Structure formats: C-alpha cells, structure tokens
Amino acid sequence: MVDNALSPHGGKIVERVVPTPAEKLRGLTQVPIRGPQARECLGIAYGFFSPLEGFLTAADVDSVVKNMTLASGYVWSIPLVFDLSEGQIKEMGIKEGGKLLLTYQDQPFATLDVEEIFSYDKELMAKNVYGTTDPKHPGVKRTQAYQDKFVGGKVTIVNPPVINPPFDGFWFPPKAQRELFAQRGWKKVVAHQTRNVPHAGHEWLMKGAWFAANADAILVNPVIGEKRPGDYIDEAILLSHDILRKAGYFREDIHTTSLLLWDMRYAGPREAVFHAIVRKNLGCTHHMFGRDHAGVGTYYDTYAAHRIFNELPDLGIYPVKTLEWWYCPVCAGIAYEEQCAHKQEAQRFSGSLIRSIIEDGVKPPRLIFRPEVFDLVMESAEKYGHGSPFVNEAYLKRPDPVMTIPAMQL
Amino acid sequence: MSEEVYPINIWINEERFEKVRVAGLAELTKDVLAGLKVIQVPASVAEKDALLSKFPKAKCDTATTKTIELLPREVKDQLLDLALEQRNVNVAGLFLEKLEAKK
Ligand SMILES: [Zn+2]
C-alpha cells in the first residue's frame, strides 16, 4: 500500500503525547526501561514511525519479518518490539488488557497498553531482517539479546522529556519538521542519513543529490542513539553538519539539520527502507542512498540498499542512488564516479584515512575537509567528548545527554 | 630473510610540508588526498613490538597494510619533529631510546 508523496506513511502522522497528571498514573504496574526503548517510545509517540502507534503485536511482527510489511499491508522493514522475560511478566502480574507505566531515569515516562503477550522465533527474525544469524552482527546480537516474551500495544508519552542542549535546537518531530518546510516554501526536500562528521565527499554527495532531485532543500538528519567505541560523538556530528551551512557551504535557504533518535540496527537494505519511511514522515520527498548504506562489516553488497527499492512498491519517497565522489588530480577537483574516467588516478575518501588525520589533529586541505568543520570537531572533543571526537569509555558512561525526564511524584 | 618493515603514517598538510621541504625530506612524501601528503617512519619488528607494548591502544594489521595505527598524537608529533631534526625518517629507534631515557 502506498500514499501520495508528502503524505505520511499510513496517511496520517501519529501523535500520542498526552501529558497526564500523576493521579491518573498511580497504581499502574511500573516497568523501568533503558535508553533504546525510551528512544523507540519517542519515535512512535511523536510520529517518526507512523503508522506505528505502539510496539508490534504478533501478526505485525510476523508480517514484517516474512513480507516486509505490516499486517495492514504498509511496507515496514524493522520489527519494533518490547521484550520482557517470562519471569518478569509473572512477577509483575502483567496480563493482556492491562496497562504498564514505563519509567525512564526513575520517572514516569510512557504507558504501554498490553494488547498482546507473545513469543516469536528470534532466529527467524534475525535471519530475515539481517540476512544472517551471525551473532557478531550488531543487529543480530540485539535480536538474540531480547527476552523471550514480547508485549505488543499502543504507547503514549505521559511525561514528555526535556530535550537538552545542544540537541534541543535539532529536535523537529514530523509535525514541526513539516511546518518548517512549509514556512520555507520547500516542496521537494532530499534527506541525508548520516552518522558522520562531513568531509567533502559527503558535502558533494548532498550537493549532487540536490541537483539530481531538483530539490528545494536538503534535510541532514543524523541518527542519534546507542554508540560504539570509535564512532564520532553525537554532538560533533550534529554541530558539524550545521556549521557547513553557517559557514556558507550551503545557503541558508536550501539546508537544515534535525536529529533522529534511533539505535542503528545495521540492517543494510532493510534499514535503508526504514530510513526512507521515517524521512517520508518528516516531509521529505527524496532520500540519498550511497555506498553500503546502513551496512556493517561485509554482510551486505555495497549497493544492496539501492536494489531493494526496485523490489518494493512506490513508497512515496524517491531514492536518490549515488555512487562515489572522489578527489581526482587530473580533473583537479572533487569528481563523481559516473562522470570522471580517471579511476586509476582517483584519490578516495576513506573513512579510516579521515579519522586518522583528525585523531592526529592535522588540519587537512580545505578541499577535502572544511576548516570550520575541523575546528568545530576539535572544539566538540573538548566540550563533549572527554578530549576526543570519537566515542571513548568516558563518553559511553555518561547519562542520556539528549533527554531529561521531568521529575514527577506519583 | 629480509627484515619486515612496519611503517607509521605521518600526515603532512601544507603547514608541515614547508618544514619537511626545508629538512630535505620532500621527496619522501607521497600525495594521499587533494594535496594532503604522508611521510612514513619505518619501524623494525622489534621497534613495532616495543611501540605496541608501550602504547597499548595502537594497532598493527600485520597481515595487510602492515602500518602501525592509532599511536597517540603526541607520539606522531614527536616522530615528525625527530625526523625534521635528523633530516632522516629512520627515527623510530631514536624515539624509543629517548622514551627510555626519560624514565
Ligand atoms: Zn577525473
């Protein structure tokens, strides 16, 4: 099933944020949740994951795993499930038809309607979603770590979080994002998914996609969530993309940055589909997909995320499939793989090369890395990264920097 | 059997290149990306092992690139300074001697 471009996936934006007084929450069974679950609750309740209204029930999980659609027929590629152990369910007396109060940071946060308690074959889930059951794959590892039971049902945020600086300036749930696009008069917006600080390869990927889509604007939408040692720190990613515009590499009237709270599954092509749907909900008409989109290791073919869209019905968001941008000494500039024939001479942007340069604090030529971005990355390292722009142990140990749940006495 | 060599990549931007040129080492640099260059300080097996044990975060992929990666920034800065001073890139041994002497 598909809706027209610009309409959210499923036809309407889900909004399930209902600030609720404490007395109405008293007596509900309390279940503490972790960061990833809290982020998923926000994604659902603020409509990023429309048409989902909650964690998936069994029929939806089965359909997503086997057909890449919800039971309703809408394309959906990643199962969002809420797991509990059989012991927890018994101990807390959780029953179908009940309602749970999910607490985060020791505060009431959201309710979960217990529509269905079920189990599902985790091996099959991993195999179909990730194309592998190798426990070294981070998504497979996440799947295998699920407890044995799942609770499906609607989620409602009852105590909305405060989004902390510097993240607050980038918090645009679908409704707010769409309003911003409308104010600016942007009808065609091409989304850029990233977990990187931008080098010129990324900058040209965005500029090229803007041309290819004949777009009004670019939405840079970094994924903010669970980190692994060696990743760029979230603050550096967000702020460095923003500074590309502030420093004039993109004009103010064609570029904006907002964040997506999401823990990468590294599901390659399936995750590409998920990214497309979320950005459609944000109001984008196009989405960039480069090499090895949302991949990890060698589990997926370099351009598997390009091909998957050929097998799906029109999602109402157009995939802009791009190959590599490189530096070509013959062309004497940044060049595109499909245009420049100097493949032998091409100097590629390798992630590990750029990382090594940044680690050594050596300011690269402005042609490959903007000095403003470099300075900002170094500044973010001091301010947010315990001295490093890359995630280290100290950064991993900090409490959730993005959101604070307001204190609420039950 | 000839002794294996494990290079340490030192990135050379424009600012550094001027000093490298003055030290007469410009010909040893190689263009990597859009004018960014690299100069390699070679390490022998023993020097590589010493570096890896003194700087446990450093890594060497002995099967593929053979380069020694993730040495602390200060170490690489000092290696470059030594190379400029000595007008020679074979300074891994000298660096380790100085490190030992500091103890
Ligand atoms: Zn060329």
Side-chain angles (χ1 to χ4, degrees):
Chain A
M1 253 194 271
V2 61
D3 308 293
N4 294 329
L6 280 179
S7 94
H9 200 48
K12 71 175 194 351
I13 294 171
V14 170
E15 276 195 289
R16 303 189 57 83
V17 183
V18 185
T20 307
E23 59 265 26
K24 289 203 171 160
L25 303 171
R26 256 171 233 146
L28 294 180
T29 304
Q30 296 189 17
V31 179
I33 58 171
R34 306 175 304 271
Q37 295 167 311
R39 288 187 279 276
E40 284 172 13
C41 287
L42 283 192
I44 292 164
Y46 281 89
F48 290 88
F49 305 159
S50 301
L52 299 196
E53 295 184 297
F55 289 103
L56 300 190
T57 52
D60 278 331
V61 170
D62 194 48
S63 182
V64 168
V65 167
K66 290 178 180 160
N67 316 315
M68 222 191 295
T69 65
L70 296 167
S72 64
Y74 279 103
V75 171
W76 197 267
S77 52
I78 308 275
L80 285 185
V81 289
F82 188 87
D83 65 313
L84 286 173
S85 70
E86 187 135 29
Q88 285 172 305
I89 287 174
K90 273 203 186 119
E91 230 168 78
M92 294 190 273
I94 298 170
K95 290 197 171 65
E96 287 181 0
K99 194 191 273 283
L100 305 179
L101 178 61
L102 308 181
T103 63
Y104 184 50
Q105 299 174 1
D106 296 324
Q107 300 299 333
F109 174 56
T111 56
L112 170 59
D113 298 341
V114 186
E115 284 167 33
E116 190 180 10
I117 301 170
F118 62 100
S119 42
Y120 196 82
D121 182 347
K122 291 192 270 184
E123 187 90 355
L124 178 69
M125 191 188 277
K127 187 169 168 286
N128 283 20
V129 175
Y130 300 106
T132 173
T133 50
D134 183 353
K136 286 199 222 69
H137 185 295
V140 173
K141 200 168 150 191
R142 176 186 292 270
T143 304
Q144 288 176 344
Y146 285 142
Q147 304 288 345
D148 286 337
K149 293 283 175 187
F150 298 118
V151 175
K154 291 189 174 68
V155 167
T156 311
I157 302 284
V158 292
N159 186 19
V162 174
I163 307 295
N164 302 318
F167 301 97
D168 54 345
F170 302 97
W171 174 242
F172 286 85
K175 217 174 159 196
Q177 190 76 78
R178 285 164 169 264
E179 275 165 20
L180 181 92
F181 291 175
Q183 274 167 25
R184 302 257 175 103
W186 294 344
K187 291 197 173 67
K188 276 202 259 177
V189 180
V190 56
H192 177 54
Q193 147 72 28
T194 185
R195 289 176 292 124
N196 265 304
V197 158
H199 53 58
H202 300 119
E203 187 184 317
W204 280 95
L205 170 79
M206 291 188 269
K207 287 177 168 171
W210 182 82
F211 280 117
N214 191 19
D216 299 316
I218 296 156
L219 172 67
V220 184
N221 197 226
V223 163
I224 305 292
E226 230 166 34
K227 307 297 283 187
R228 302 193 296 173
D231 288 347
Y232 279 108
I233 60 170
D234 286 330
E235 293 85 349
I237 299 169
L238 268 175
L239 295 170
S240 64
H241 273 281
D242 213 42
I243 204 128
L244 271 186
R245 183 191 69 255
K246 286 182 174 158
Y249 299 101
F250 290 97
R251 261 169 51 167
E252 284 287 342
D253 58 352
I254 68 146
H255 180 282
T256 192
T257 309
S258 63
L259 63 83
L260 173 66
L261 293 178
W262 173 246
D263 297 311
M264 286 292 295
R265 268 37 174 199
Y266 304 94
R270 277 225 186 201
E271 185 137 358
V273 173
F274 174 81
H275 289 161
I277 291 169
V278 172
R279 275 59 186 246
K280 174 181 162 71
N281 286 334
L282 288 170
C284 297
T285 51
H286 295 71
H287 197 301
M288 297 168 216
F289 294 100
R291 53 177 293 130
D292 201 26
H293 187 95
V296 63
T298 51
Y299 293 101
Y300 309 105
D301 181 76
T302 315
Y303 292 108
H306 284 187
R307 287 192 300 272
I308 194 164
F309 290 97
N310 303 336
E311 298 155 20
L312 294 174
D314 178 6
L315 291 178
I317 179 164
Y318 189 81
V320 179
K321 303 168 185 176
T322 65
L323 304 187
E324 244 183 299
W325 290 83
W326 55 46
Y327 175 78
C328 172
V330 185
C331 295
I334 309 293
Y336 186 57
E337 189 177 353
E338 274 184 296
Q339 296 174 338
C340 160
H342 311 113
K343 199 169 183 168
Q344 296 304 318
E345 293 87 353
Q347 297 172 349
R348 289 175 169 77
F349 290 93
S350 117
S352 55
L353 169 65
I354 300 279
R355 167 181 302 262
S356 177
I357 298 165
I358 291 176
E359 261 164 0
D360 290 0
V362 178
K363 202 170 202 161
R366 65 160 52 239
L367 199 54
I368 58 169
F369 206 93
R370 304 306 189 178
E372 295 88 346
V373 173
F374 184 82
D375 292 343
L376 186 132
V377 168
M378 295 299 145
E379 208 182 291
S380 301
E382 292 311 314
K383 202 165 167 189
Y384 307 107
H386 304 268
S388 171
F390 302 105
V391 170
N392 56 25
E393 287 305 317
Y395 187 84
L396 283 176
K397 279 196 195 113
R398 83 219 155 120
D400 188 336
V402 179
M403 61 175 132
T404 304
I405 314 303
M408 183 194 263
Q409 210 63 48
L410 277 189
Chain B
M1 202 176 104
S2 70
E3 178 87 327
E4 287 273 16
V5 169
Y6 300 89
I8 302 159
N9 286 329
I10 315 248
W11 309 113
I12 306 296
N13 58 11
E14 228 170 82
E15 189 190 322
R16 284 182 166 185
F17 186 69
E18 188 46 31
K19 294 178 195 158
V20 169
R21 198 185 58 76
V22 170
L25 301 176
E27 291 203 343
L28 295 178
T29 64
K30 213 176 74 194
D31 210 31
V32 184
L33 186 55
L36 181 85
K37 296 171 168 50
V38 67
I39 196 163
Q40 293 192 322
V41 170
S44 66
V45 180
E47 288 161 349
K48 172 201 65 145
D49 292 342
L51 286 166
L52 293 185
S53 81
K54 289 194 164 58
F55 305 100
K57 280 192 180 155
K59 285 199 176 78
C60 181
D61 188 346
T62 50
T64 56
T65 59
K66 296 200 190 319
T67 54
I68 304 173
E69 308 284 349
L70 297 172
L71 283 168
R73 182 197 297 192
E74 300 73 36
V75 172
K76 294 176 80 170
D77 288 351
Q78 284 167 35
L79 285 169
L80 178 62
D81 288 344
L82 284 177
L84 295 175
E85 200 181 286
Q86 302 291 316
R87 298 176 161 251
N88 189 325
V89 290
N90 293 299
V91 291
L94 182 60
F95 169 79
L96 286 164
E97 273 171 38
K98 290 200 170 205
L99 197 68
E100 212 49 46
K102 263 192 230 159
K103 276 189 183 163

